[in-house]
């Protein structure tokens, strides 16, 4: 019993010891596990830290790449006299460049090199100008996500689709050992960068904000005219499938990536190199010279062109233009004499043009036994309003000099003389009165009016009959003008040849509106006729050379002669219908009709039912300003004394006051002394592509400060939204730009047959314009309607002058974009990119592209069918009529945004860390920045942005205007 209890006691004593042992072992195991875990965590942390260090190194190398790229941009592209384009433009020089089409090249605008100073890619940092080390040939063929130790893809399929990749070389980052092997360099990383040219792309996130032009609202159509003059948006819908032309969310897009997120939009990645959401441009000339620098604002100082141009552009002068009622679209201009007649000067006079002049002269005996002879005269005058707006009717006068002395010979050989200058006066004065209150007798747009005969005589002034082409009832006789010794039975007439000098004079002021020199008439030889015959006359007649006179060649050539608005028109501008005036055979009562086919020949407007009152008979050719100019291209309508019309914007506009150099020198902000409202909440400019810019150091200017900028260089305060580099060879970019003229709910004047202008009720019609180009950018609404469906009416050539808007079909738009790219490539292959806008315009390359497009099978541009007229009249469209799309029309639309260089660039940068022992890449990093050139110079303290080049310090002359990073983001590998 005791034994059993002892045993039990022993067991109870040993049990706590075993438990302790178990606990101890467990704790030891836990400690071991903890130590192992801590060791693992330490290793992980060390590895993470190592990876973080590697990533940090890679990012530092990427930032090194970015800073290097920005530095290269500043070095090569900072100065104004630089031109940019892409490798794709140089395939005519080296077809291999096409494999690296998005590489950006930089040219000096002052030289003629075909190859660039540099290509803006990594590897060219140490190269000298005009000797790049890296060129876009085969070693860098695009291949999505290509990545080796020597090259890397910075743009891949995610950003730019299958074919839009960009591959560039890597640059080693080396470290020099200080121990072990002193002086030996080891690669510890690499970087790469590429600069993409945003200016060769079409900016598509600009919406029409003309509705916010609060201070430009004196008339109902002012905002619409603003839309017509500057196309505020770009036709992104032309290339981005599914994009609405007026997508309200488009203006909210701030990056290209967001385009693909818009409802229904597709194809955005494939257009990476064609569309932009960031492109802006500095308004500076690329033309070198002491006074080079920022462009000058003609809205502030139009006298920079000339005092005459300032007079033309001052539409606010109430003695110049009448403001209509708020419901009407028409304008009425008052006639005024020119301030200068100097050849090449801007024509600032406003007057109708003499298109037909006739002075019939006849000598007869009033009775068979009379020795006294009577001289009978029969005048005729035809005047044309060449403008797209109405001219106010007022009394005019015609003065005539150099009338000949006529020798009269009778059947007996006896002679008498009639000095017409003495008989009619020196000069002979004929008054052209108005018909007050007669709406049938108005100088409506393009209308012709007539005066004939002598209704009365006031002193020494002969008063003609208005609204008449029949001189028979109003001939004027000078009885006893001369006499013969004996009564004649027959008479003959002779006179030496002569050249008439004719002046059109404003009766109220006596000012000469225009003067004309006739062709030289042959000597008068009127053979024997019965002395008492009164129904025949000798007529000195000449008329403006026009379409009819070129019908055997090119009927449009009449617009290639001296501008008919010139204050002094030479004899070469006229034709003499009767060069030998003695043989005019029409009877005294015959109407003075022009030749069949003449665009100025029309019946007098004697009643509302007369068909010639219909506006289809009017021939408006030129435009007068009705709002501030906003496009230099619109100045194609300026008249230049003694020169051919439509010079600016066309290849022949190489010289003169308003030559094509204006595209490089000037711009229009559209501001006036009172508009727009500026400051922190600025109203848009009438030129809606001109956006305010202020540096970080300066507050936005008020209007007074803006307009007081020295030398009218208000361009220091602005950037061009959507600036477009014409050296672009992207068909899609050009097509989007050509599609900019899309105006929805566009209203135009509802004209009537009787008046040929908008009725007093202000009635309008509404249409939607697509791919539209405004030949009349300020008066298209008054000259848009064209009636081609009148029963029993044969379409005449005059109608091609009635349509102030040309619309392209989608097919023609694409063809034209393709042809423009073709001529740009050819140009670059021959002599490098365009160095200036003048060079671009003078080349005529746009005209060539238009001609080729028009000649393409199925094309509708320049056809009657595109105007809703019978196709049979296609051959009748006159060159430079408003229906004939010209290079100048394209430049009117392009001028506010066109440049030959770019100022906005996207930079893709890459960095990697390399293990110096193994050479393995430890980490990679990518980033992207948008870099913008601004008006300030690199050294802003030394020189203001508006300074002339000659006044700049050496730093600013060398490095130009400052680049700044306006957007930055890190990218992941699947963002490339």
């Amino acid at each position: 019993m005791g034994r059993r209890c002892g045993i039990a006691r022993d067991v109870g004593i040993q049990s706590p010891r075993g438990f302790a042992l178990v606990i101890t072992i467990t704790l030891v195991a836990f400690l071991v596990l903890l130590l192992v875990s801590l060791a693992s965590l330490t290793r992980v942390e060390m590895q993470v830290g190592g990876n973080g260090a590697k990533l940090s190194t890679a990012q530092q190398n990427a930032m090194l790449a970015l800073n290097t790229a920005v530095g290269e941009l500043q070095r090569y592209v900072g100065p104004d006299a630089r031109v940019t384009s892409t490798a794709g433009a140089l395939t005519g020089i080296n077809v291999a460049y096409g494999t690296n089409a998005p590489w950006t090249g930089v040219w000096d605008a002052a030289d003629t090199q075909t190859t660039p100073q540099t290509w803006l890619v990594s590897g060219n940092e140490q190269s000298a100008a005009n000797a790049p080390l890296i060129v876009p040939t085969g070693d860098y063929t695009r291949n999505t996500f290509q990545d080796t130790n020597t090259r890397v893809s910075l743009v891949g399929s995610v950003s730019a689709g299958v074919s839009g990749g960009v591959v560039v070389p890597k640059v080693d980052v080396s470290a020099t050992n200080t121990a072990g092997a002193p002086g030996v360099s080891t690669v510890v990383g690499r970087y790469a960068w590429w600069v993409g040219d945003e200016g060769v792309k079409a900016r598509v996130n600009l919406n029409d904000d003309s509705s916010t032009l609060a201070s430009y609202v004196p008339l109902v159509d002012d905002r619409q005219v603003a839309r017509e003059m500057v196309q505020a948006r770009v036709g992104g819908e032309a290339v981005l499938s599914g994009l609405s032309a007026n997508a309200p969310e488009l203006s909210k897009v701030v990056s290209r990536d967001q385009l693909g997120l818009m409802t229904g939009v597709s194809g955005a990645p494939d257009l990476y190199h064609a569309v932009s959401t960031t492109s802006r441009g500095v308004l500076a000339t690329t033309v070198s010279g002491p006074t080079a620098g920022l462009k000058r604002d003609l809205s502030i100082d139009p006298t920079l062109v000339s005092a005459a141009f300032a007079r033309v552009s001052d539409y606010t002068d109430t003695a110049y233009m009448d403001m209509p009622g708020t419901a009407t679209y028409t304008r009425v201009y008052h006639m005024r004499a020119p301030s200068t007649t100097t050849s090449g000067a801007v024509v600032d006079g406003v007057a109708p043009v003499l298109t037909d002049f006739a002075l019939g002269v006849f000598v007869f005996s009033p009775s068979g036994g009379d020795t006294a002879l009577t001289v009978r005269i029969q005048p005729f005058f035809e005047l044309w309003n060449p403008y797209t707006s109405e001219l106010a009717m007022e009394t005019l006068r015609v003065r005539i000099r150099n009338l000949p002395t006529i020798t009269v010979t009778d059947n007996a050989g006896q002679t008498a003389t009639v000095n017409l200058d003495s008989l009619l006066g020196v000069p002979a004065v004929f008054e052209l009165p108005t018909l007050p209150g007669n709406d049938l007798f108005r100088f409506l747009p393009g209308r012709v009016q007539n005066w004939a005969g002598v209704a009365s005589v006031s002193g020494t002034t002969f008063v003609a009959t208005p609204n008449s082409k029949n001189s028979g009832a109003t001939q004027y006789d000078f009885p006893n003008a001369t006499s013969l010794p004996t009564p004649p039975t027959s008479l003959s007439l002779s006179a030496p040849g002569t050249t008439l000098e004719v002046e059109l004079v404003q009766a109220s002021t006596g000012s000469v509106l225009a003067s004309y020199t006739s062709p030289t008439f042959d000597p008068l030889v009127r053979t024997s006729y019965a002395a008492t015959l009164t129904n025949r006359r000798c007529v000195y007649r000449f008329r403006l050379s026009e379409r009819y006179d070129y019908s055997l060649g090119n009927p449009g050539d009449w617009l290639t002669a001296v501008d008919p608005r010139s204050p002094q028109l030479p004899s070469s501008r006229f034709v003499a219908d009767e060069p030998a005036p003695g043989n005019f055979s029409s009877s005294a009562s015959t109407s003075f009709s022009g030749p069949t086919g003449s665009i100025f020949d029309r019946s007098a407007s004697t009643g509302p039912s007369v068909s010639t009152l219909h506006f289809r008979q009017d021939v408006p050719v030129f435009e007068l300003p009705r709002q501030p100019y906003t496009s230099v291209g619109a100045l194609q309508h300026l008249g230049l004394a003694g020169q051919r019309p439509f010079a600016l914007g066309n290849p022949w506009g190489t010289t003169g006051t308003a030559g094509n150099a204006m595209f490089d020198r000037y711009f229009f902000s559209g501001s006036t002394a009172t508009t727009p409202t500026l400051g922190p909440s600025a109203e848009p400019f009438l030129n809606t592509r001109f956006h305010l810019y202020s540096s970080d150091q300066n507050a936005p200017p008020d209007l007074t400060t803006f307009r007081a900028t020295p030398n009218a260089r208000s361009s220091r305060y602005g950037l061009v939204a959507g600036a477009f580099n014409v050296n672009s060879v992207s068909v899609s970019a050009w097509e989007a730009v050509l599609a900019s003229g899309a105006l929805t709910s566009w209203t135009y004047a509802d004209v009537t047959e009787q008046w040929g202008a908008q009725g007093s009720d202000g009635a309008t019609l509404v249409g939607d314009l697509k791919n539209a180009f405004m030949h009349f950018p300020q008066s298209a609404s008054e000259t848009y309607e064209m009636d081609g469906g009148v029963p029993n009416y044969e379409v005449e050539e005059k109608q091609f002058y009635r349509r102030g808007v040309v619309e392209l079909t989608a097919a023609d738009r694409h063809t034209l974009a393709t042809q423009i790219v073709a001529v740009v490539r050819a140009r670059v292959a021959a002599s490098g990119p365009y160095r200036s806008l003048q060079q671009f315009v003078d080349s005529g390359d746009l005209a060539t592209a238009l001609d080729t497009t028009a000649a393409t099978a199925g094309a509708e541009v320049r056809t009657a069918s595109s105007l809703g007229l019978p196709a049979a009249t296609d051959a009748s469209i006159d060159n430079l009529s408003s229906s004939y799309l010209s290079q100048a029309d394209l430049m009117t639309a392009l001028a506010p945004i066109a440049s030959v260089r770019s100022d906005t660039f996207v930079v893709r940068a890459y960095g990697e860390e390399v293990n110096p022992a193994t050479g393995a890449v430890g980490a990679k990093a990518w980033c992207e920045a948008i870099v913008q050139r601004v008006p300030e110079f690199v050294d802003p303290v030394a020189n203001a942005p508006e300074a002339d080049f000659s006044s700049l310090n050496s730093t600013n002359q060398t490095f130009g205007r400052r680049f700044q990073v306006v957007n930055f983001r890190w990218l992941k590998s699947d963002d490339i």
Side-chain angles (χ1 to χ4, degrees):
M1 181 71 173
R3 186 178 182 85
R4 288 195 297 271
C5 290
I7 295 172
R9 190 181 301 114
D10 291 342
V11 173
I13 293 170
Q14 293 173 0
S15 179
R17 295 176 180 174
F19 181 73
L21 179 60
V22 171
I23 293 299
T24 301
I25 294 172
T26 300
L27 290 173
V28 170
F30 177 75
L31 289 172
V32 171
L33 179 61
L34 181 61
L35 290 172
V36 172
S37 298
L38 288 174
S40 297
L41 287 173
T42 301
R43 286 197 302 273
V44 170
E45 186 175 345
M46 291 177 63
Q47 186 173 357
V48 170
N51 288 342
K54 293 177 181 178
L55 179 59
S56 177
T57 300
Q59 289 179 329
Q60 290 176 21
N61 287 337
M63 291 302 297
L64 171 63
L66 175 61
N67 289 333
T68 301
V70 174
E72 290 296 281
L73 270 171
Q74 192 68 69
R75 172 189 177 190
Y76 283 102
V77 194
D80 291 336
R82 295 291 184 271
V83 174
T84 64
S85 188
T86 57
L90 274 73
T91 53
I93 296 174
N94 189 332
V95 70
Y97 287 179
T99 63
N100 296 276
W103 282 23
T104 300
V106 185
W107 286 258
D108 188 334
D111 66 28
T112 57
Q113 298 278 344
T114 55
T115 54
Q117 288 186 309
T118 191
W119 295 102
L120 292 174
V121 296
S122 46
N124 276 330
E125 298 90 334
Q126 301 302 318
S127 61
N130 296 317
L133 302 173
I134 306 298
V135 294
T137 50
D139 288 343
Y140 306 104
T141 300
R142 287 177 287 171
N143 181 10
T144 303
F145 288 110
Q146 179 180 0
D147 192 354
T148 68
N149 287 341
T150 59
R151 50 190 177 268
V152 63
S153 177
L154 292 185
V155 180
S157 60
V158 174
S159 295
V162 176
S163 60
V166 174
V167 175
V168 298
K170 293 179 180 179
V171 177
D172 290 341
V173 177
S174 302
T176 302
N177 291 334
T178 59
V184 176
S185 295
T186 304
V187 175
V188 295
R190 300 183 183 92
Y191 71 82
W193 55 270
W194 163 77
V195 173
D197 190 337
E198 290 291 286
V200 297
K201 308 172 187 179
R203 183 169 174 181
V204 295
N205 61 335
L206 294 172
N207 264 353
D208 180 7
D209 59 359
S210 58
S211 61
T212 63
L213 294 170
S215 62
Y216 296 100
V217 289
L219 299 174
V220 65
D221 66 330
D222 276 2
R223 290 192 182 115
Q224 173 167 294
V225 172
R227 298 168 69 200
E228 294 167 0
M229 288 192 292
V230 177
Q231 298 161 345
R233 51 175 299 283
V234 170
E237 72 279 0
V239 293
L240 282 167
S241 176
L243 179 65
S244 171
N246 57 348
E249 67 272 28
L250 191 60
S251 62
K252 301 175 183 177
V253 169
V254 296
S255 71
R256 185 186 290 102
D257 296 340
Q258 292 175 322
L259 290 174
L261 301 178
M262 294 178 65
T263 304
V265 174
S266 61
D270 294 328
L271 294 169
Y272 180 89
H273 300 295
V275 299
S276 171
T277 57
T278 59
S279 174
R280 296 188 296 171
V282 176
L283 282 159
T285 180
T286 59
V287 179
S288 300
T291 60
L294 293 177
K295 294 184 180 181
R296 301 185 180 190
D297 189 352
L298 292 178
S299 296
I300 293 176
D301 187 4
T303 63
L304 290 169
V305 177
S306 68
F309 173 69
R311 192 170 180 231
V312 168
S313 58
D314 185 15
Y315 70 99
T316 62
D317 182 356
T318 56
Y320 178 23
M321 185 188 81
D322 287 340
M323 287 287 198
T326 57
T328 58
Y329 280 58
T330 60
R331 305 288 193 275
V332 179
Y333 292 80
H334 295 274
M335 300 179 199
R336 68 183 187 191
S339 65
T340 177
T341 59
T342 303
S343 179
V346 173
V347 177
D348 60 357
V350 179
V353 175
L354 180 69
T355 52
D356 203 341
F357 168 94
L359 183 63
V361 181
F362 204 64
V363 182
F364 62 93
S365 174
S367 65
D370 208 338
T371 60
L373 302 180
T374 296
V375 174
R376 174 170 290 175
I377 61 170
Q378 296 174 316
F380 171 67
F381 311 100
E382 179 182 84
L383 299 179
W384 164 53
N385 171 14
Y387 299 106
T388 59
S389 297
E390 183 174 355
L391 292 181
M393 295 294 295
E394 64 173 284
T395 299
L396 302 173
R397 288 177 180 156
V398 174
R399 297 198 297 226
I400 309 168
R401 292 183 174 85
N402 290 347
L403 290 170
T405 295
I406 297 176
T407 298
V408 183
T409 304
D410 67 5
N411 49 290
Q414 303 174 103
T415 62
T417 59
V418 178
N419 187 320
L420 292 179
D421 265 346
S422 299
L423 186 68
L424 275 68
V426 183
V429 180
F430 290 84
E431 187 164 289
L432 311 183
T434 63
L435 289 174
N438 189 337
D439 279 334
L440 302 178
F441 194 66
R442 290 165 56 184
F443 261 138
L444 294 169
R447 184 145 297 184
V448 169
Q449 297 293 359
N450 314 113
W451 290 259
V454 179
S456 62
V457 178
S458 176
T460 59
T461 300
F462 305 96
V463 182
T465 302
N467 206 23
S468 173
K469 295 188 73 170
N470 190 328
S471 64
T474 55
Q475 302 169 90
Y476 186 79
D477 288 349
F478 292 89
N480 303 314
T482 189
S483 61
L484 292 166
T486 59
T489 57
S490 64
L491 299 173
S492 62
L493 307 177
S494 64
T498 189
T499 299
L500 301 182
E501 298 293 336
V502 179
E503 293 175 325
L504 184 64
V505 179
Q506 204 169 20
S508 60
T509 64
S511 301
V512 177
L513 297 173
S515 60
Y516 310 97
T517 302
S518 78
T520 299
F521 290 96
D522 295 341
L524 168 62
V525 178
R526 184 67 169 88
T527 55
S528 179
Y529 59 91
T532 56
L533 183 67
T534 60
N535 67 346
R536 292 290 184 269
R537 61 181 181 267
C538 309
V539 178
Y540 289 89
R541 187 177 185 183
F542 64 94
R543 57 180 177 79
L544 187 71
S545 178
E546 44 103 338
R547 183 189 194 282
Y548 167 83
D549 303 290
Y550 294 89
S551 58
L552 297 180
N554 188 339
D557 282 351
W558 77 278
L559 286 173
T560 66
V562 173
D563 195 315
R565 296 168 294 172
S566 295
Q568 295 177 331
L569 273 186
S571 60
S572 60
R573 198 62 184 83
F574 296 94
V575 292
D577 273 354
E578 299 296 330
N583 296 317
F584 193 83
S585 58
S586 62
S587 67
S589 60
T590 299
S591 171
F592 283 99
S593 296
T596 302
S598 166
I599 61 175
F600 296 128
D601 184 38
R602 63 187 297 171
S603 301
S605 305
T606 56
S609 62
V610 176
S611 63
T612 55
L613 280 173
H614 198 287
F615 58 83
R616 75 170 77 92
Q617 297 280 1
D618 298 329
V619 186
V621 176
F622 307 109
E623 184 176 62
L624 291 168
R626 56 181 59 188
Q627 274 192 204
Y629 284 112
T630 52
S631 171
V632 173
L635 302 187
Q636 68 163 306
H637 287 281
L638 283 182
L640 300 178
Q643 298 185 17
R644 63 183 294 187
F646 303 112
L648 193 84
N650 280 309
W652 57 88
T654 56
T655 59
T657 303
N660 289 330
M662 290 186 68
F663 288 104
D664 294 296
R665 296 174 182 169
Y666 305 118
F667 81 105
F668 290 99
S669 66
S671 70
T672 70
T674 58
T675 56
T677 302
L678 295 183
S681 300
E683 176 191 358
F685 288 86
L686 198 61
N687 176 356
T688 51
R689 286 299 190 96
F690 183 72
H691 288 193
L692 274 181
Y693 159 80
S694 294
S695 66
D696 296 337
Q697 293 78 27
N698 298 315
D702 58 25
L703 185 60
T704 301
T705 302
F706 179 86
R707 292 182 62 84
T709 311
N711 295 316
R713 281 176 168 154
S714 63
S715 40
R716 67 159 293 171
Y717 293 114
L719 293 171
V720 178
F724 183 66
N725 186 339
V726 296
N727 288 303
S728 173
V729 289
S730 168
V731 172
S732 294
W734 272 105
E735 190 164 0
V737 169
L738 294 174
S740 297
L743 301 178
T744 58
S745 301
W746 182 74
T747 56
Y748 55 97
D750 183 10
V751 301
T752 65
E753 287 190 20
Q754 286 81 7
W755 319 129
Q758 187 181 25
S760 58
D761 59 356
T764 59
L765 300 172
V766 179
D768 289 337
L769 298 180
K770 295 180 179 179
N771 311 315
F773 293 89
M774 302 289 175
H775 183 74
F776 301 134
Q778 296 205 38
S779 56
S781 61
E782 197 173 348
T783 55
Y784 181 73
E785 191 172 356
M786 179 183 289
D787 190 348
V790 180
N792 302 317
Y793 175 69
E794 181 180 353
V795 175
E796 295 187 13
E797 296 80 0
K798 302 176 186 180
Q799 284 196 268
F800 298 118
Y801 295 87
R802 274 292 311 174
R803 177 62 58 82
V805 181
V806 176
E807 293 181 86
L808 294 178
T809 64
D812 285 351
R813 180 191 66 207
H814 178 74
T815 301
L816 179 56
T818 302
Q819 293 303 323
I820 291 174
V821 168
V823 296
V824 172
R825 288 188 194 277
R827 159 74 196 197
V828 175
S831 53
Y834 303 101
R835 298 314 210 268
S836 67
L837 286 173
Q838 180 181 11
Q839 192 179 76
F840 175 65
V841 179
D842 287 352
S843 71
D845 286 343
L846 280 181
T848 299
L850 275 168
D851 292 342
T852 305
T853 300
T856 302
E860 293 189 35
V861 63
R862 296 175 177 170
T863 65
S865 58
S866 68
L867 307 171
L869 300 176
T873 63
D874 280 356
S876 301
I877 296 183
D878 293 355
N879 299 348
L880 303 181
S881 69
S882 59
S883 298
Y884 190 95
L885 185 62
S886 71
Q887 173 174 291
D889 296 335
L890 295 184
M891 286 307 301
T892 298
L894 287 173
I897 62 171
S899 179
V900 291
R901 59 164 296 146
S902 301
D903 294 312
T904 308
F905 300 88
V906 58
V907 178
R908 283 277 176 96
Y910 167 84
E912 66 184 26
E913 184 272 347
V914 175
N915 188 319
T918 65
V921 175
K924 301 177 181 179
W926 297 262
C927 65
E928 179 184 270
I930 303 298
V931 185
Q932 177 67 50
R933 197 172 80 117
V934 296
E936 283 82 26
F937 287 107
V938 170
D939 182 357
V941 176
N943 301 111
E946 64 270 21
D948 287 341
F949 181 83
S950 59
S951 67
L952 303 182
N953 66 11
S954 59
T955 298
N956 289 332
Q957 285 193 353
T958 301
F959 296 105
R961 303 185 193 275
R962 180 168 59 91
F963 275 96
Q964 62 182 21
V965 176
V966 295
N967 184 274
F968 174 85
R969 62 172 179 158
W970 288 105
L971 303 175
K972 298 179 295 185
S973 60
D974 54 2
D975 293 328
I976 304 303

